[in-house]
Amino acid sequence: MKRHIVMIGMMGAGKTAIGSELARRLHVPFTDSDAEIESAAAMSISEIFARDGEAFFRDRETQVLSRILKGPPGVVSTGGGAWMQAGNRELIRAHGLSVWLNCDLETLWHRVRQRSTRPLLKTADPKGTLARLLEQRAPVYAGADVTFEARADDSIEAAATRLIDQLRGIVPEFPEAK
């Protein structure tokens, strides 16, 4: 691979799950930018949000993303808000192919509702908050190089296979997957 494949989209869309399977099949490194931020800070994203706020977290996110994207090409999973920052979109465009995992609200809600690790959903109406975030973010996510329709009934393996097929049809030099 000559460039990174960068998974973008809402929390719960499957960026980490599908991205790690894609990397495994392509025999390239997989990096989850949120996990890298947590490792560097020695605290969870929820703790970073609570202690330092979202603006601080977004600055760290950009620093970590820049470091990852300067490394050898692989598959990168980003946090749901990473693509919303213009500087991050520029970084990703310069070093990778952005893939939006487009997922409907009900599927997202089903996947995230049991997790207390989503700081942006710690509201009186978490599903309403998720719906508002999706409505705000979808037009920006639509600027990705590739839109991949994430299906609720797909297994991780099936989704990765569909994504590989889609990428192979778009990127002529796309590597063979196992």
Side-chain angles (χ1 to χ4, degrees):
M1 274 183 11
K2 296 179 183 173
R3 302 178 69 191
H4 292 277
I5 297 172
V6 183
M7 313 298 275
I8 67 162
M10 290 292 293
M11 60 184 91
K15 300 180 300 287
T16 297
I18 296 168
S20 60
E21 177 64 13
L22 183 64
R24 185 188 70 75
R25 291 193 193 180
L26 297 174
H27 303 285
V28 297
F30 172 75
T31 309
D32 181 322
S33 66
D34 281 352
E36 292 290 313
I37 293 165
E38 289 179 332
S39 176
M43 60 176 57
S44 72
I45 289 171
S46 290
E47 290 169 329
I48 296 168
F49 265 71
R51 188 186 82 179
D52 301 311
E54 185 175 359
F56 177 87
F57 171 79
R58 297 296 172 201
D59 287 344
R60 299 299 80 71
E61 183 175 56
T62 298
Q63 290 173 354
V64 166
L65 195 54
S66 177
R67 178 180 50 79
I68 293 166
L69 293 173
K70 289 178 182 168
V75 178
V76 179
S77 170
T78 63
W83 184 254
M84 301 308 294
Q85 310 300 313
N88 291 344
R89 291 192 300 272
E90 290 172 19
L91 270 172
I92 293 167
R93 284 188 182 110
H95 299 280
L97 178 76
S98 55
V99 178
W100 173 28
L101 298 188
N102 187 11
C103 199
D104 66 86
L105 175 63
E106 291 308 315
T107 301
L108 294 171
W109 178 243
H110 175 75
R111 292 176 180 173
V112 302
R113 68 179 176 209
Q114 301 300 325
R115 296 194 178 178
S116 62
T117 58
R118 310 289 185 167
L120 294 179
L121 297 184
K122 292 184 179 187
T123 66
D125 177 17
K127 186 176 183 185
T129 301
L130 184 64
R132 282 188 296 284
L133 284 169
L134 179 58
E135 184 179 341
Q136 292 166 358
R137 292 176 175 183
V140 182
Y141 289 152
D145 297 314
V146 176
T147 297
F148 177 77
E149 298 300 328
R151 300 177 187 159
D153 58 344
D154 264 356
S155 67
I156 293 166
E157 294 78 14
T161 297
R162 285 193 312 105
L163 180 54
I164 288 168
D165 290 345
Q166 184 175 345
L167 292 173
R168 191 166 287 120
I170 297 169
V171 182
E173 71 278 0
F174 195 75
E176 286 298 315
K178 305 287 180 195

